[in-house]
């Protein structure tokens, strides 16, 4: 933060000098405001930190009171829950996936699939039954009797986990135009050791935990800005559609625009956080008062009271709304600039929108009215059969995923110690992630396959500068 402030004052000094010399030509004074330059990925919430803590820093523009609230949320984000009754953080389970938020969102960053004999840690599986003929598109997933909509692979002492998952990878080889061979691994999932039989036609969707910084900015993007990029019927004929998800908002009691999660199936961060407590940790809140295990045969007792208070829900929501976005690095490097050009030429920027402007997010002035560089449109895209989970989620069909933001992606290795990308972490580096793109991104992938090695290297170096 020190670095940030000194850089800022230097820039201010420069602009003061400039305006002093140029007082007779006001045109040059109206240069791009410093926070709007491409280095400041998160506008005024940007931090200049490329360390292993890069995703864990409070936005530097928080007021003292907001900073305190953020720190309270930080404590709760790290809180480890235990079986009730207990003095501190009771209410875990009876069935759950993990015991704290931070265990999945390690260092506020992203999770990964397990190594061969490691259990599931930060990868979870959503479940549902196929839609029946008369169930309409746009409805929530249909729960599996006895399992609900998520496989809870852990349980407290008196209960049984719902099951485990075995992951096998099949290697595929892809050869680019210049003869470079790239190995891709395609995952196969088998649900095993279930406490009761799973229906044969169950739909299973793997989801790795995404990073949680910069999310208040994404929540602050006005709906009409997002909808302006939607082109569901591909009216402009560029092969890219972009479709909004509309999902059930439990507070508003109506369908609203989905923004969060790999299929944009959560409308707000408040609801996303409450759903995480409920689905992932077995913790009830005022938004989701029913235990995720309610009605299941191996469990009889359920707590009636919300296990986490509205105050805690509020500070944790504020915490994920106000984590800073790390600044870009090496933006003037010629190879980075070449990669940025190739990113545009390959149509990557049609979905990964580089620059957006936020509106006002009530109660969070630090993320309001910011120019940001998230590299997402928050819309759903058909990504082809190989990435498909074949499990619809509200308006998202089985081949559609929300464009994930790319800001900070070059720091994942330093923060999380791995380079596993995509919704299930199958990609082992950025190039593999790109080469899995299909469907609406088919032309983009082909463009990358046609690139020379030097061009592909430049594209990667650009992504690493984000
Ligand atoms: C078992 C692992 C796990 C735990 C525990 C967990 N999460 Fe998550 N989190 C995920 C996964 C997986 C997703 C993506 C879900 C999806 O796409 O449907 C996610 C998504 C999110 C998102 C949306 C991110 C985005 O970019 O859209 C937020 C915010 C979030 N979690 C916050 C929390 C908070 C707060 C807690 C603790 C109350 C928590 N999570 C606990 C795995 C976990
Ligand atoms: C049609 C829209 C679209 C286009 C075009 C597109 N992407 Fe993506 N991109 C996505 C979606 C959707 C995902 C998530 C897919 C998944 O997880 O299964 C994604 C994922 C990624 C990821 C992994 C992100 C993460 O968090 O794991 C990278 C890196 C990426 N894209 C880079 C690119 C590059 C580089 C190009 C151009 C060559 C490109 N994308 C073109 C939509 C697009
Ligand atoms: Ca509980
Ligand atoms: Ca379940
Ligand atoms: Ca289009």
């Amino acid at each position: 933060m020190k670095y940030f402030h000194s850089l800022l004052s230097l820039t201010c000094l420069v602009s003061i000098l400039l305006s002093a010399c140029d007082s007779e030509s006001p045109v040059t004074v109206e240069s791009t405001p410093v926070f709007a330059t491409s280095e400041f990925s998160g506008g005024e919430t940007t931090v200049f930190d490329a360390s292993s803590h890069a995703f864990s820093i409070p936005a530097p523009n928080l007021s003292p009171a907001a900073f305190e609230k953020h720190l309270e949320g930080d404590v709760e984000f790290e809180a480890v829950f235990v079986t009730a009754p207990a003095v501190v953080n009771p209410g875990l389970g009876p069935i759950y996936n993990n015991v704290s938020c931070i265990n999945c969102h390690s260092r506020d960053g992203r999770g990964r699939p397990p190594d061969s004999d490691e259990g599931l840690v930060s990868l979870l599986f959503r479940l549902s039954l196929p839609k029946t003929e008369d169930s309409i598109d746009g409805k929530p997933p249909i729960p599996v009797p006895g399992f609900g909509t998520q496989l809870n692979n852990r349980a407290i002492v008196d209960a049984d986990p719902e099951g485990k998952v075995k992951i096998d990878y099949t290697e595929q080889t892809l050869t680019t135009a210049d003869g470079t061979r790239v190995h891709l691994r395609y995952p196969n999932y088998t649900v095993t050791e279930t406490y009761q039989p799973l229906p044969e036609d169950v739909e299973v969707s793997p989801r790795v935990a995404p990073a949680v910084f910069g999310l208040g900015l994404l929540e602050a993007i006005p709906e009409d800005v997002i909808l302006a990029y939607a082109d569901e019927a591909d009216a402009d004929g560029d092969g890219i559609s972009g479709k909004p998800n509309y999902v059930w908002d439990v507070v508003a009691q109506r369908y609203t625009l989905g923004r969060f999660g790999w299929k944009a199936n959560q409308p707000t961060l408040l609801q996303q956080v409450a759903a995480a407590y409920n689905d992932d940790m077995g913790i009830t809140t005022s938004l989701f008062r029913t235990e995720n295990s309610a009605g299941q045969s191996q469990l009889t007792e359920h707590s009636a009271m919300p296990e986490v208070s509205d105050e805690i829900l509020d500070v944790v929501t504020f915490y994920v709304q106000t984590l800073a976005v790390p600044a870009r690095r090496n933006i003037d490097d010629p190879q980075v600039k070449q990669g940025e050009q190739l990113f545009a030429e390959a149509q990557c920027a049609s979905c990964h929108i580089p620059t957006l402007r936020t509106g006002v997010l009530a109660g969070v002035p630090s993320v309001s009215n910011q120019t940001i560089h998230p590299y997402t449109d928050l819309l759903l895209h058909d990504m082809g059969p190989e990435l498909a989970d074949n499990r619809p989620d509200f308006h998202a069909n089985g081949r559609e995923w929300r464009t994930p933001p790319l800001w900070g992606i070059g720091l994942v290795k330093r923060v999380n110690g791995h380079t596993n990308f995509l919704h299930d972490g199958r990609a082992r580096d950025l190039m593999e992630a790109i080469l899995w793109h299909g469907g609406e991104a088919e032309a983009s992938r082909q463009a990358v396959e046609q690139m020379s090695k030097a061009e592909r290297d430049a594209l990667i170096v650009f992504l690493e500068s984000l």
Side-chain angles (χ1 to χ4, degrees):
M1 278 210 295
K2 252 200 180 129
Y3 179 78
F4 175 80
H5 284 302
S6 51
L7 179 101
L8 181 61
S9 40
L10 183 75
T11 325
C12 295
L13 185 69
V14 172
S15 46
I16 290 162
L17 289 176
L18 265 180
S19 47
C21 342
D22 282 341
S23 52
E24 273 158 49
S25 59
V27 183
T28 46
V29 182
E30 284 174 23
S31 59
T32 320
V34 57
F35 290 122
T37 63
S38 67
E39 198 170 18
F40 287 79
S41 302
E44 291 174 56
T45 75
T46 307
V47 281
F48 284 78
D49 186 313
S51 76
S52 60
H53 301 290
F55 299 162
S56 303
I57 300 172
N61 61 344
L62 294 174
S63 69
F67 181 71
E68 281 306 312
K69 185 174 177 183
H70 176 98
L71 294 186
E72 284 169 38
D74 193 358
V75 171
E76 299 301 335
F77 194 81
E78 294 182 10
V80 172
F81 282 79
V82 297
T83 311
V87 183
V88 183
N89 307 326
L92 178 69
I95 48 174
Y96 61 95
N97 293 78
N98 215 324
V99 296
S100 70
C101 310
I102 195 86
N103 268 15
C104 286
H105 301 280
S106 170
R107 292 175 184 261
D108 305 292
R110 74 168 66 208
R112 58 172 178 80
D115 293 335
S116 49
D117 36 339
E118 192 186 18
L120 295 174
V121 180
S122 47
L123 172 66
L124 58 80
F125 291 82
R126 299 238 194 269
L127 306 172
S128 51
L129 289 180
K131 301 214 166 178
T132 53
E133 274 165 38
D134 48 41
S135 68
I136 324 147
D137 184 34
K139 292 287 183 221
I142 302 171
V144 180
F147 294 87
T149 51
Q150 181 165 321
L151 186 78
N152 301 104
N153 60 298
R154 294 169 72 182
I156 64 170
V157 279
D158 298 333
D160 297 322
E162 290 176 335
K164 304 235 148 49
V165 178
K166 191 169 155 297
I167 310 175
D168 300 300
Y169 291 103
T170 321
E171 291 279 334
Q172 299 180 3
T173 307
L174 188 146
T175 309
T176 60
D178 67 354
T180 309
R181 287 159 66 86
V182 184
H183 300 283
L184 301 176
R185 54 170 196 177
Y186 182 83
N188 294 293
Y189 304 104
T190 320
V191 183
T192 60
E193 299 174 55
T194 55
Y195 82 103
Q196 68 177 48
L198 260 183
E200 296 255 305
D201 55 353
V202 65
E203 297 168 337
V204 179
S205 176
R207 314 265 174 112
V208 90
V212 290
F213 64 85
L215 299 179
L217 296 164
L218 300 184
E219 192 164 32
I221 300 169
E223 184 162 336
D224 57 356
V225 170
I226 297 169
L227 297 182
Y229 289 100
D231 180 21
E232 251 188 274
D234 192 18
D236 65 2
D238 65 353
I240 295 177
S241 70
K243 162 177 152 186
N245 204 352
Y246 288 98
V247 304
W248 186 249
D249 184 322
V250 300
V251 176
Q253 284 292 305
R254 60 185 172 85
Y255 284 92
T256 57
L257 181 71
R259 293 172 191 250
F260 301 104
W262 287 100
K263 288 208 182 226
N265 70 345
Q266 292 292 352
T268 61
L269 287 168
L270 172 67
Q271 184 167 324
Q272 168 71 63
V273 171
Y277 274 121
N278 199 261
D279 297 335
D280 305 346
M281 293 158 69
I283 307 229
T284 55
T285 57
S286 65
L287 266 68
F288 299 104
R289 290 173 176 271
T290 313
E291 292 276 14
N292 65 10
S293 51
Q296 293 187 198
S297 62
Q298 89 275 36
L299 304 154
T300 47
E301 282 186 36
H302 308 288
S303 62
M305 295 296 292
E307 291 163 329
V308 150
S309 67
D310 283 350
E311 288 70 34
I312 292 180
L313 202 50
D314 179 47
V315 294
V316 175
T317 303
F318 191 73
Y319 175 71
V320 293
Q321 282 169 331
T322 53
L323 279 168
V325 181
R328 282 189 61 195
R329 298 144 320 280
N330 310 324
I331 55 168
D332 295 325
D333 180 314
Q335 199 186 13
V336 169
K337 285 190 172 303
Q338 185 197 359
E340 185 166 16
Q341 182 72 36
L342 291 163
F343 186 83
E345 284 168 16
Q347 276 202 340
C348 312
S350 305
C351 300
H352 297 283
I353 307 285
T355 304
L356 291 168
R357 178 95 184 143
T358 69
V360 172
L361 183 63
V364 199
S366 57
V367 300
S368 300
N369 300 313
Q370 300 294 320
T371 299
I372 60 172
H373 307 288
Y375 294 86
T376 176
D377 56 6
L378 297 181
L379 295 171
L380 299 169
H381 296 275
D382 181 329
M383 295 299 286
E386 295 197 298
L387 283 175
D389 64 350
N390 301 310
R391 176 184 181 271
D393 207 340
F394 294 94
H395 284 277
N397 69 30
R399 290 160 59 116
E400 288 172 329
W401 298 99
R402 179 201 71 164
T403 312
L406 299 180
W407 53 16
I409 203 158
L411 291 168
V412 169
K413 185 170 189 188
R414 190 158 312 155
V415 173
N416 293 118
H418 68 77
T419 51
N420 290 130
F421 299 110
L422 299 174
H423 66 273
D424 53 7
R426 71 174 72 177
R428 290 163 293 193
D429 58 37
L430 290 167
M431 186 45 72
E432 287 189 22
I434 296 168
L435 294 175
W436 276 114
H437 281 55
E440 293 171 38
E442 181 75 25
S444 285
R445 192 200 70 242
Q446 285 173 4
V448 174
E449 286 177 13
Q450 293 304 318
M451 287 178 188
S452 66
K453 179 161 185 326
E455 288 171 329
R456 279 198 307 278
D457 288 349
L459 180 63
I460 298 300
V461 168
F462 163 67
L463 291 175
E464 286 172 347
S465 79
L466 296 179

